Amino acid sequence: MPATICARDIRKTYGDLRAVDGVTFDVAPGEFFGILGPNGAGKTTTLEIIEGLREADAGEATVLGLPPWPRNPALLPRIGVQLQASAFFERLTAREQLCTFASLYGVPARRADEMLEVVGLTDKAGTRTEKLSGGQAQRLSLACALVHDPDVVFLDEPTGALDPQARRNLWDVLRAISAEGRTVVLTTHHMDEAETLCERVAIMDHGKVLQIGPPAALIRALDFPNRITVSSGLVTAAEARAGVPGAEVTDDGVTLAIVTRDPAPALGWLADHGALAGLQVRGGTLEDVFLQLTGREYRA
Amino acid sequence: MNAFRSLSRAMFLGFVRDRGAMVFSILIPVIFLVLLGSIYKGSGTPQLSVVEVGKVSLLDQASSRGQLSRILKVTRSSDLGAALNDVRQGDADAVAQQQGNSLVVHYSIADQVTAAVVQTVFASIVQQADEQAAGRPAAFRLTTQQVEDKSLKPIQYLAPGLLGWAIASGATFGAGITLVTWRQNKLLRRLRLAPASTAAVVCARIGISLVIAMVQLAVFLAIATTPYFGLKLTASWWMAIPIVACGTLSFMSIGLLVGSFARTQQAASSIANLIILPMAFLGGAFIPLNFAPRWLQDVSYALPLRYLVVGMQDVMARGDGPASALPAIAILLGTAAVLTLLSVRVFRWDQV
């Protein structure tokens, strides 16, 4: 099956700044694809070129086999876009907002009510958008992007300024959208978000894609050591060092930590000594991948 | 619902729910009209206030007769000193005394026009009394004929002037602030990604501004033509409708240009005010151009507001025919075309 989205060596320069510097990737039909990177990495510009909001200086992008630039009326009804800010008409209620967007796509108002239901805003239908909380506004904005039932959905930092509760809430909605078979492309600077939601991620920095792959595969490829922690006082650090050869063991009085590339013997030994209270096993994360790729701490 | 209708509806709701916009585009101009209309209502019918000290038979005869009684307001006093003081202070225009066959009139030359009127009126009173006393018929007879009065009463320039100002600021702010707000919240980009045409978006915005302008026109006419303010509309007043429509387009293009440059709403509204307020003073919205100094009249020809205001005055109050509005309409449309083309060149989708 041909790729839903193709980006081939796209480039965009603003003055001296190479915002996008040769980005290439494909997104398969129905895939949940993430573009991950710190602020200023070029994620939004990349997305805007693919959506058809900007013209690339060089390279080629297609969506559903069609070029998005110049503004392509054949493509527009098939893509749904949520921009970074909450792009709403002033002083309209949530329902009026959705109905207006629905009519721009020639979709009946009935569909607006369905979408309110999907994003869990039915009880806020009569509330003006200025009065919605950050999470509610973000969900409404998502509903506006989906009201015409597009095949491809672009989300630019959908959980940008949300509190943890609202983020998790939105993640559930995003999973549901993806489960309906749509292709979803999302940009984020949250590593955990990319890790839990995306089937594949492209890690970007300074306008370039550093690596692309499923999050788990990227992490595994790092061969990052596991960090096993249990409560202090069950076994001493010296005992653990003797029992688990080759592991690095520390004890700060609260937590006993065993760092090893081979977790099985360590876990077996801890179990044998009845020392599993407070057990946590942490592998590498996308943050470690980023550190490995750029040689610097990840700062969103 | 098609895109044009739903966009119009969205913008209309956005306007009527915006108390600030309602106050600025309708309420404040109406308050100005009511206040200024009431203040200037009395002016234009001068009366001479004369203090009669002691008995002045000539004055009593005159003030009981015909036309003179309408311009003379006679009060009686026995205190000459106090009466003279009233004239010095400008509280009375003249003091009249009769000493035998001599009529003595005291007046001030602080206001030379009033002074001249006082002298003329009393001279004519004495002359008439002389003629009667001599008992001979007048050798000459004066016949007067009234010409059509083309000078404007206050309400006749206040209503079109303030209405012009209200329409100008409504249209400029409507277009400018909408553009800046939509760019800031990215609605502009979002609409570009919807299959609705740019024409639908632009026409919806123009349509709403035209509706607002027509509401302003209707409210102003309704208030100004009440018996209290007494505006009498002349035959071709309906030509004010196309003038208002073209004025709206013209000032929307100014707003569009402002919105293309300004980055924030505050900046847009400051720039719009900087353009509209001086133009209101210089373009005849607040001060009638007939009374303005020569240089101001010359300046006004460069301001689109002049054509909106004077165009409305001509057809609404001066009784000019429908064709008289055509030059004003052409200039307003020309301004709109030039400024819109200019805006297209400097237009930006994004803040950066």
Side-chain angles (χ1 to χ4, degrees), chain A residues 54 71 88 90-91 96 103, chain B residues 6 14 17 182 192 194 196:
Chain A
R54 287 176 200 282
R71 189 172 182 265
F88 293 133
E90 311 94 273
R91 291 174 288 278
E96 288 165 346
S103 74
Chain B
S6 69
R17 286 175 187 171
W182 286 12
R192 195 172 148 77

Side-chain angles (χ1 to χ4, degrees), chain B residues 211-241:
Chain B
V211 167
I212 294 167
M214 291 306 155
V215 170
Q216 290 172 318
L217 175 66
V219 169
F220 262 69
L221 289 186
I223 292 173
T225 53
T226 53
Y228 178 75
F229 292 111
L231 175 65
K232 297 252 185 312
L233 291 176
T234 52
S236 306
W237 72 270
W238 49 268
M239 267 310 272
I241 294 172

Side-chain angles (χ1 to χ4, degrees), chain A residues 88 93-94 121 124-125 127-138 140:
Chain A
F88 293 133
T93 66
L121 286 176
K124 296 285 174 189
T127 306
R128 294 216 195 148
T129 42
E130 291 86 353
K131 300 245 166 73
L132 294 177
S133 72
Q136 290 164 344
Q138 206 60 267
L140 179 63

